[in-house]
Amino acid sequence: MCDEIIAEKTRGTAKKLFGEGIKMDPPYLTWREFDKELANDLSKFITGNLYSRTVLSLPERQMIACAVLAATRARDELKLHVNAALNVGCNPEKLTEIFFQMATYTGMPAVNEALTVYREVLKERGEWPIGEKKG
Amino acid sequence: MCDEIIAEKTRGTAKKLFGEGIKMDPPYLTWREFDKELANDLSKFITGNLYSRTVLSLPERQMIACAVLAATRARDELKLHVNAALNVGCNPEKLTEIFFQMATYTGMPAVNEALTVYREVLKERGEWPIGEKKG
Amino acid sequence: MCDEIIAEKTRGTAKKLFGEGIKMDPPYLTWREFDKELANDLSKFITGNLYSRTVLSLPERQMIACAVLAATRARDELKLHVNAALNVGCNPEKLTEIFFQMATYTGMPAVNEALTVYREVLKERGEWPIGEKKG
Amino acid sequence: MCDEIIAEKTRGTAKKLFGEGIKMDPPYLTWREFDKELANDLSKFITGNLYSRTVLSLPERQMIACAVLAATRARDELKLHVNAALNVGCNPEKLTEIFFQMATYTGMPAVNEALTVYREVLKERGEWPIGEKKG
Amino acid sequence: MCDEIIAEKTRGTAKKLFGEGIKMDPPYLTWREFDKELANDLSKFITGNLYSRTVLSLPERQMIACAVLAATRARDELKLHVNAALNVGCNPEKLTEIFFQMATYTGMPAVNEALTVYREVLKERGEWPIGEKKG
Amino acid sequence: MCDEIIAEKTRGTAKKLFGEGIKMDPPYLTWREFDKELANDLSKFITGNLYSRTVLSLPERQMIACAVLAATRARDELKLHVNAALNVGCNPEKLTEIFFQMATYTGMPAVNEALTVYREVLKERGEWPIGEKKG
């Protein structure tokens, strides 16, 4: 794919996912402090290529991302992607259910951590408790 | 919840998920050989309670299940739930995309295993390659 | 099993395990903030059903719980269950030995974390160092 | 500790654990093919030192070993140590219960694998189903 | 980077790593069966970009790859990269030592699996036992 | 091996690895608080035996240790061994590259954590950013 198109897709997708409400630095800033060129290549590949594919909608991708990051105990990345999930319009009740469903596959410790991170993010965004916001 | 209702929900949900096309024994049969009562309690709790909740649709649940089982390298359970995903109508291209997406979060070994299991299941069901079936 | 009996078993077993000396919130409180009914179902299933079975004694169950939680790096749950282990009368020297024994199966990082958590709990309870208490 | 004593303890403990009924090669044989001296040092440290300590009884150690190996999906080592557990007199019903108990901490895939390995070992030893043997 | 250069680097690095003696299909062939374009993008990114960087020599990269794949129990990928390590001239005794060293960090099950896979590869290549080849 | 020689090797290797610039307690101090004799045995086995073998140079060992600890998310031990790696003369750019290389095998969360820990250590030692120090 042409470099210019990828760069534009990277910016566009990144804006939708991480454009607002996130109270933490994205990993990209860390990569850049170590190696600017590789940081750009990683970002273009992950955000501009993988995440810009349209077979899955962005809310579907974020539901998968949240499930996988919770299951593998990647707490910081989970926090980032729970924010991104809410930014692209994932249903907050479905996210709760996804984290409870993991009980069967990963046991309760991963569920506990995911719910704790999720509540933390919802509070930061003023969207807690879930029911209230819609009232 | 009333025991009778749970038992019926368990049967109903199990039929939709595992009712056809699966060429392997579900774990329930193993549980039963060790402890009949606990096997029933586990089945009622997981299938009749958790999986019968309607916040997530069954195809959504199966997409999450496949992602989490692939990420945690639970090969046998992944095989079972890829079958269940296809049984409840998950889009086969979306499943492919879910497995590729995990590259970012779990690295390529989990992607490789998931795709291998997925292709194996599709072949067993006569639904491989993915494009053909629809032609 | 009759719902009333399960509810009573849940309360009874929870009291023995978590009834005293624990300076942290149990995960049940988090579950409840998200979904009251599911929180109760989970609690009844785990504490009222699984944990109330008598094939293993409560101290045996807690030794297993501590080993598994240490091995899977579930730090918060380990902290909770080390407390529960001491509450139901596990021998403190045996707990130390369990954590050292894991060296062979999980390597030293899991041992280091487990011992650190264990020492933290013992200090909170005024039972550190282990030898002293009995003097 | 004196080298002679360690060597004797290694032999004694190894005999109790692995002395009979095991239809697989212990890892020690693999270590030896790569490095004879290191294989001996590892064996003396693990079996002669750690496993010969008496704070935990051998059946207690084996219950812990089986739980941890099941939780970390170390299938081959689990098979070996389930055999060793039965050799030193662990109660077979308690082993079943340990594997079911892990549901809460590690999810069902680890439970399924552990029960499958356990049944396989019991069949090889002619001790399946568990109830029968005692009849 | 220009697409043509990346494509050439991908071919060059792939040839050095996987050009000979490997008795298994590389994951790239699986990726391609699902999605030709993404397979090429992944291959270019991993082999043409990451693996073609020269801060680490190829033998250094392969030592790291083997250690990480052994530690994370990625058996199939370990087999592939042990072959690649030998293809780019890694010292066979150093590979043995790397696998033993992991005992401290990951416990013995990962060591056992790594040594088993390594011996299997060495036998397939006619380079077992290690000492003999040089004689 | 003679006990006296092992003890001396333990001291010598420990001094090279952990002798300077480390702003954290090594795990050995924790082991000792629980069991002085076992702590010494572990230290002699790991540092005096495994780490004192010369098939791998100390910088090679530390590169492997850092890769494996990063891949298995052993954050505290990674911090210790990144320090040790720098103490025995590992090239700082190579360490960066090792952490980026893991993307392929373990996904980005392990990369992100490793780079964060690494930067933290470099800052504590006054060796950040990497390029500057050499200027």
Side-chain angles (χ1 to χ4, degrees):
Chain A
M1 220 185 295
C2 160
D3 236 39
E4 197 44 51
I5 295 175
I6 288 272
E8 204 184 300
K9 281 196 183 184
T10 306
R11 282 189 298 269
T13 303
K15 190 155 178 260
K16 285 179 208 156
L17 292 169
F18 309 123
E20 55 180 299
I22 300 182
K23 300 194 168 31
M24 65 190 292
D25 283 344
Y28 171 74
L29 296 185
T30 302
W31 308 340
R32 247 178 64 132
E33 290 197 56
F34 282 96
D35 191 316
K36 214 166 178 172
E37 193 186 330
L38 188 50
N40 282 335
D41 288 347
L42 277 165
S43 181
K44 279 186 200 163
F45 187 68
I46 296 172
T47 311
N49 186 334
L50 280 179
Y51 258 79
S52 299
R53 288 161 63 95
T54 53
V55 187
L56 292 170
S57 67
L58 276 182
E60 283 172 334
R61 273 199 196 281
Q62 285 313 110
M63 284 166 67
I64 298 301
C66 288
V68 167
L69 291 168
T72 54
R73 313 295 303 268
R75 188 184 184 116
D76 292 342
E77 287 77 14
L78 176 60
K79 197 170 174 184
L80 186 69
H81 281 276
V82 161
N83 268 296
L86 297 168
N87 283 348
V88 296
C90 283
N91 178 318
E93 276 89 1
K94 292 198 180 202
L95 285 173
T96 305
E97 189 73 14
I98 285 169
F99 296 139
F100 274 119
Q101 186 189 346
M102 293 193 320
T104 317
Y105 309 122
T106 64
M108 296 311 295
V111 176
N112 298 339
E113 183 176 80
L115 291 177
T116 303
V117 167
Y118 186 29
R119 184 177 49 190
E120 206 175 299
V121 169
L122 288 166
K123 284 183 181 173
E124 278 177 13
R125 298 169 68 98
E127 304 174 13
W128 174 261
I130 289 171
E132 303 289 292
K133 193 200 168 188
K134 300 179 169 163
Chain B
M1 220 186 294
C2 159
D3 236 38
E4 197 43 53
I5 296 174
I6 288 271
E8 203 183 302
K9 281 195 183 185
T10 306
R11 281 189 298 270
T13 304
K15 188 153 180 263
K16 285 179 208 156
L17 292 170
F18 310 122
E20 54 178 301
I22 300 184
K23 302 197 166 26
M24 64 189 294
D25 284 344
Y28 171 73
L29 296 185
T30 302
W31 307 341
R32 249 179 61 132
E33 290 197 56
F34 281 97
D35 191 314
K36 214 166 178 171
E37 192 185 331
L38 188 51
N40 282 336
D41 288 348
L42 277 165
S43 181
K44 278 185 203 162
F45 187 69
I46 297 171
T47 312
N49 187 333
L50 281 180
Y51 259 79
S52 300
R53 288 160 63 92
T54 52
V55 187
L56 292 170
S57 67
L58 276 182
E60 282 173 333
R61 274 201 196 278
Q62 286 313 110
M63 283 166 68
I64 298 301
C66 288
V68 167
L69 291 168
T72 54
R73 313 296 302 269
R75 189 184 183 115
D76 292 342
E77 288 75 14
L78 177 59
K79 198 172 173 183
L80 187 69
H81 281 276
V82 162
N83 268 296
L86 296 169
N87 284 348
V88 297
C90 284
N91 178 318
E93 276 89 1
K94 291 198 181 202
L95 286 172
T96 306
E97 189 72 15
I98 286 170
F99 297 139
F100 274 120
Q101 185 188 349
M102 293 192 321
T104 316
Y105 308 121
T106 64
M108 296 312 296
V111 176
N112 297 340
E113 184 177 79
L115 292 177
T116 303
V117 167
Y118 186 30
R119 185 177 49 191
E120 208 175 297
V121 169
L122 288 167
K123 283 183 180 174
E124 278 177 13
R125 298 169 67 99
E127 304 175 13
W128 174 261
I130 289 171
E132 304 287 292
K133 195 203 169 186
K134 301 178 167 164
Chain C
M1 219 184 294
C2 160
D3 236 38
E4 198 42 53
I5 297 176
I6 288 271
E8 203 183 302
K9 281 197 183 184
T10 306
R11 281 188 299 270
T13 303
K15 188 153 180 262
K16 284 180 208 155
L17 293 169
F18 309 123
E20 56 179 298
I22 299 184
K23 299 193 171 29
M24 65 191 293
D25 283 343
Y28 171 74
L29 297 186
T30 302
W31 308 340
R32 248 178 63 130
E33 290 197 56
F34 281 97
D35 191 317
K36 214 165 178 173
E37 194 185 329
L38 188 51
N40 282 336
D41 288 347
L42 277 165
S43 181
K44 279 186 201 162
F45 187 68
I46 297 171
T47 312
N49 186 333
L50 282 180
Y51 259 79
S52 299
R53 288 161 62 93
T54 53
V55 186
L56 292 170
S57 68
L58 275 182
E60 281 172 333
R61 272 200 197 278
Q62 286 312 110
M63 283 165 69
I64 298 301
C66 288
V68 167
L69 291 167
T72 54
R73 312 296 303 268
R75 188 183 183 116
D76 292 342
E77 289 76 14
L78 177 59
K79 197 170 174 184
L80 186 69
H81 282 277
V82 162
N83 268 295
L86 296 169
N87 284 347
V88 297
C90 283
N91 178 319
E93 276 90 2
K94 292 199 180 203
L95 285 172
T96 306
E97 189 72 14
I98 285 170
F99 296 139
F100 274 120
Q101 186 190 346
M102 292 193 321
T104 317
Y105 309 121
T106 64
M108 297 311 295
V111 176
N112 298 339
E113 184 177 79
L115 292 177
T116 303
V117 167
Y118 186 28
R119 183 177 50 190
E120 207 175 297
V121 169
L122 289 166
K123 283 183 180 174
E124 278 177 11
R125 298 169 67 99
E127 303 174 15
W128 173 262
I130 289 170
E132 302 289 293
K133 193 200 167 188
K134 299 178 171 167
Chain D
M1 220 185 293
C2 160
D3 236 37
E4 198 42 53
I5 296 176
I6 288 271
E8 203 183 302
K9 282 196 181 185
T10 306
R11 280 188 300 269
T13 303
K15 189 154 178 261
K16 285 179 208 156
L17 293 169
F18 310 122
E20 55 179 299
I22 299 183
K23 300 195 168 29
M24 65 190 293
D25 283 344
Y28 170 74
L29 296 186
T30 302
W31 307 339
R32 248 179 62 133
E33 291 197 56
F34 282 96
D35 191 316
K36 215 167 179 170
E37 193 184 330
L38 187 52
N40 282 335
D41 289 347
L42 277 165
S43 180
K44 277 186 202 162
F45 187 68
I46 296 171
T47 312
N49 186 335
L50 281 181
Y51 259 80
S52 299
R53 288 160 63 94
T54 52
V55 186
L56 292 169
S57 68
L58 275 182
E60 282 172 332
R61 274 198 195 281
Q62 285 313 110
M63 283 166 67
I64 298 301
C66 288
V68 167
L69 291 168
T72 54
R73 313 296 301 270
R75 190 184 182 114
D76 291 342
E77 288 76 13
L78 177 59
K79 197 171 175 184
L80 187 70
H81 281 277
V82 162
N83 268 296
L86 296 168
N87 283 348
V88 297
C90 283
N91 178 319
E93 276 89 1
K94 292 199 180 203
L95 285 172
T96 306
E97 189 73 13
I98 285 170
F99 296 138
F100 274 119
Q101 186 190 348
M102 292 193 321
T104 316
Y105 308 122
T106 64
M108 297 309 297
V111 177
N112 298 339
E113 184 175 80
L115 291 177
T116 303
V117 166
Y118 186 29
R119 184 177 50 189
E120 207 175 297
V121 169
L122 288 167
K123 283 183 181 174
E124 279 178 12
R125 298 170 67 100
E127 302 175 14
W128 174 262
I130 290 170
E132 304 289 292
K133 194 200 169 186
K134 299 178 170 165
Chain E
M1 219 185 293
C2 161
D3 235 39
E4 197 43 51
I5 296 174
I6 288 272
E8 202 183 303
K9 280 196 182 183
T10 306
R11 282 189 298 271
T13 303
K15 190 156 178 260
K16 284 179 208 157
L17 293 169
F18 310 123
E20 56 179 298
I22 299 182
K23 300 196 168 28
M24 66 190 292
D25 283 344
Y28 170 74
L29 296 186
T30 302
W31 308 340
R32 249 179 62 134
E33 290 197 56
F34 281 96
D35 191 315
K36 214 165 179 171
E37 194 185 331
L38 188 51
N40 282 336
D41 288 347
L42 278 165
S43 180
K44 278 184 201 164
F45 187 68
I46 297 171
T47 313
N49 186 334
L50 281 181
Y51 260 79
S52 299
R53 288 161 62 95
T54 52
V55 186
L56 292 170
S57 68
L58 276 182
E60 281 172 333
R61 273 200 196 279
Q62 286 312 109
M63 284 167 67
I64 297 301
C66 288
V68 168
L69 291 167
T72 54
R73 312 296 302 269
R75 190 185 182 115
D76 292 342
E77 288 76 13
L78 176 59
K79 197 170 174 184
L80 187 70
H81 281 277
V82 161
N83 267 296
L86 296 168
N87 283 348
V88 297
C90 282
N91 178 319
E93 275 90 0
K94 291 198 180 202
L95 285 173
T96 305
E97 189 73 14
I98 285 170
F99 296 139
F100 274 120
Q101 186 189 347
M102 292 193 321
T104 316
Y105 309 121
T106 65
M108 296 311 296
V111 176
N112 298 339
E113 183 176 80
L115 292 176
T116 304
V117 166
Y118 186 29
R119 184 177 50 190
E120 206 175 297
V121 169
L122 288 166
K123 283 183 180 174
E124 278 178 13
R125 299 169 67 100
E127 303 175 14
W128 174 262
I130 289 169
E132 303 289 292
K133 193 201 169 188
K134 300 178 170 166
Chain F
M1 219 184 296
C2 160
D3 237 38
E4 197 44 51
I5 296 175
I6 288 272
E8 203 182 304
K9 281 195 182 185
T10 306
R11 281 189 299 270
T13 303
K15 188 151 180 265
K16 285 179 207 156
L17 292 170
F18 310 122
E20 55 180 300
I22 299 184
K23 301 196 168 26
M24 65 191 292
D25 283 343
Y28 170 74
L29 295 186
T30 301
W31 308 340
R32 249 179 63 132
E33 289 196 58
F34 282 95
D35 191 317
K36 213 165 180 174
E37 193 185 332
L38 188 51
N40 282 336
D41 288 348
L42 277 165
S43 181
K44 278 185 201 163
F45 187 68
I46 296 171
T47 311
N49 186 333
L50 281 180
Y51 259 80
S52 299
R53 289 160 61 94
T54 52
V55 186
L56 292 170
S57 67
L58 275 182
E60 282 173 334
R61 274 199 195 280
Q62 285 313 110
M63 283 166 68
I64 297 301
C66 288
V68 167
L69 291 168
T72 54
R73 313 294 303 269
R75 188 183 184 115
D76 291 343
E77 288 77 14
L78 177 60
K79 197 170 174 185
L80 187 69
H81 282 277
V82 161
N83 268 296
L86 296 168
N87 284 347
V88 297
C90 284
N91 178 319
E93 276 89 1
K94 293 198 180 203
L95 286 173
T96 305
E97 188 73 13
I98 285 169
F99 296 139
F100 273 120
Q101 186 189 348
M102 291 193 322
T104 317
Y105 308 121
T106 64
M108 297 310 297
V111 176
N112 297 340
E113 183 175 80
L115 292 177
T116 303
V117 167
Y118 185 30
R119 184 178 49 191
E120 206 176 298
V121 169
L122 288 166
K123 283 183 181 174
E124 278 177 13
R125 299 168 67 99
E127 303 175 14
W128 174 261
I130 290 171
E132 304 288 291
K133 194 201 167 187
K134 301 178 169 166

